[in-house]
Amino acid sequence: MYYPYFRGKQYELITIRETSKLLAEKNFVPVIEPVRESLGSLKKTLSAVCEAGGRAIVIVNPYHGDHKKRRGEHYWSTPRIFLRS
């Protein structure tokens, strides 16, 4: 198992989408920290990973980007991740 870390920027999400089959075959599980307010691209990426039979980890309380200012309001105060298989 290899867990590459991505900040969830546009080109990183496109790369994950385009290589989702290869990532699944090689047991790569991308760790994605969303940094942009819009989550549409992240949703498409996660759908592609799931369709390819892969897994991904999404950080729900990011330290960077558009979502960090909301940590106290909408996210947990300690880092947590959810695994989806």
Side-chain angles (χ1 to χ4, degrees), residues 43-82:
K43 183 178 176 182
K44 287 189 337 187
T45 299
L46 293 175
S47 294
V49 169
C50 289
E51 287 174 14
R55 296 184 300 156
I57 298 170
V58 178
I59 297 176
V60 297
N61 60 337
Y63 284 105
H64 303 282
D66 296 341
H67 299 286
K68 76 174 184 175
K69 64 184 173 189
R70 295 185 182 167
R71 281 175 73 212
E73 300 171 19
H74 301 289
Y75 295 98
W76 296 284
S77 59
T78 56
R80 297 177 191 219
I81 56 175
F82 294 104

Side-chain angles (χ1 to χ4, degrees), residues 16 38 67:
I16 294 169
S38 172
H67 299 286

Side-chain angles (χ1 to χ4, degrees), residues 2-7 12 29-33 59 64:
Y2 179 67
Y3 300 95
Y5 191 89
F6 297 94
R7 283 274 165 83
E12 292 177 343
V29 180
V31 177
I32 306 169
E33 178 181 17
I59 297 176
H64 303 282

